Amino acid sequence: MTIRTDNQIPTTDPRPLSFEDLTACLELSDNREWPLEDRKWEFLLRVGQGYGIVDTDGKLAASAVLTHFGSFAAISMVLVAAKYNRRGLGTKIMRHVMAEAGDSVATLYATPLGKPLYEKLGFQETSGCEVMTGTFTGRGAGTTRPAAAADLPAILRLDTEVCGADRTHVVSRLPDFADRIRVVERDGEITGYAAQTRSLSQNGSNQVGPVIAADDADARALIADIATDAGGQTRIDLDTARPDLIEWATQNGLKPVFHCSAMVVGGATLPGDRRRLYAPILQALG
């Protein structure tokens, strides 16, 4: 039962969110002037577990999504309605999802606004991320090809090797979620892949990710081919530890519009060969 207090702070415990809560999640995003990333929310609510705090008016006052990957877990979509800002709901829902993560190492991407809260909860910055957007003006490399259904087992094996965890429950949904998937094939072996998803509510902008590649040249080829094929506005989130790739993206029409921090509880090292992970599936899923 919700107890109404003088300052109207919701006192219910976080409850699970489902796909049926998508509209409420989008309304909360709009309240905080976040992009209305409808397909991102839909994907996360299907592959992860959302949690929300509901206020006395039945409105979603706070949200978070937890996606497990065995040894680590990604926390995303941490939002608090503007009228409850700095009133403890962010801490409350974060403590809840961190408890739900159990023994898995928790990781997230932090905005400058949320970073102080996460630092208080024990997260440490491990890298930076530049959100790059614009119309890709470069030319396709022509060295990648569209993925086929038969490529999925090889993509899953590559993803597990690079990320150090079995992400089958996420990556196997990419063919339904993404508009395009392209691969790099060398001597009959898939050594890289990338996906692109169009957001229906962001003027049709294209989110490119994940991008997994053996080297910088293949990463650029995947990005160029998939962005050229998709056309229109492109967004890709690039690690600040890759200045050459950021410079290349800038030279080809994209520009950094936002900076955020990749953070991990205790600054722990995430598993896998992260040198080959050039962009996440979503900024939420590292």
Side-chain angles (χ1 to χ4, degrees), residues 237-255:
D237 305 334
L238 297 176
D239 195 317
T240 54
R242 302 185 188 277
D244 291 346
L245 188 60
I246 291 173
E247 181 180 1
W248 171 83
T250 302
Q251 292 170 348
N252 286 280
L254 307 185
K255 62 180 181 180

Side-chain angles (χ1 to χ4, degrees), residues 12-175:
T12 53
D13 292 330
R15 69 163 176 84
L17 298 176
S18 70
F19 181 67
E20 294 180 355
D21 296 296
L22 177 60
T23 298
C25 293
L26 291 173
E27 289 175 350
L28 181 57
S29 293
D30 185 52
N31 176 266
R32 294 316 306 254
E33 299 182 343
W34 271 30
L36 297 181
E37 299 172 298
D38 48 348
R39 296 184 72 181
K40 181 176 180 178
W41 271 107
E42 179 182 350
F43 186 67
L44 289 170
L45 289 173
R46 291 190 186 281
V47 304
Q49 177 58 64
Y51 296 94
I53 297 174
V54 178
D55 67 14
T56 54
D57 296 320
K59 296 289 187 179
L60 191 61
S63 69
V65 177
L66 179 69
T67 308
H68 277 279
F69 300 110
S71 61
F72 72 98
I75 298 173
S76 59
M77 312 311 270
V78 181
L79 281 166
V80 175
K83 66 179 179 180
Y84 300 120
N85 195 35
R86 299 186 182 277
R87 298 168 80 176
L89 292 193
T91 300
K92 183 175 183 177
I93 201 161
M94 276 296 299
R95 291 193 184 281
H96 182 82
V97 295
M98 290 174 71
E100 291 293 324
D103 294 333
S104 300
V105 175
T107 181
L108 52 76
Y109 284 90
T111 65
L113 182 64
K115 188 177 178 182
L117 167 63
Y118 305 136
E119 288 176 333
K120 289 179 182 178
L121 294 171
F123 286 83
Q124 296 179 20
E125 182 173 358
T126 56
S127 64
C129 179
E130 294 290 351
V131 177
M132 312 282 294
T133 66
T135 300
F136 186 79
T137 58
R139 301 171 65 178
T143 56
T144 73
R145 64 167 175 81
D151 295 323
L152 184 58
I155 289 173
L156 289 171
R157 286 193 297 271
L158 175 63
D159 189 89
T160 298
E161 180 181 338
V162 171
C163 295
D166 184 355
R167 305 198 304 175
T168 298
H169 65 298
V170 173
V171 179
S172 63
R173 290 181 179 267
L174 275 180

Side-chain angles (χ1 to χ4, degrees), residues 151-204:
D151 295 323
L152 184 58
I155 289 173
L156 289 171
R157 286 193 297 271
L158 175 63
D159 189 89
T160 298
E161 180 181 338
V162 171
C163 295
D166 184 355
R167 305 198 304 175
T168 298
H169 65 298
V170 173
V171 179
S172 63
R173 290 181 179 267
L174 275 180
D176 295 326
F177 173 68
D179 293 281
R180 292 170 179 81
I181 302 174
R182 298 189 71 90
V183 298
V184 175
E185 187 173 5
R186 296 277 188 270
D187 299 323
E189 179 183 359
I190 290 177
T191 59
Y193 81 97
Q196 166 267 320
T197 305
R198 186 180 299 274
S199 173
L200 299 179
S201 59
Q202 292 192 76
N203 299 319

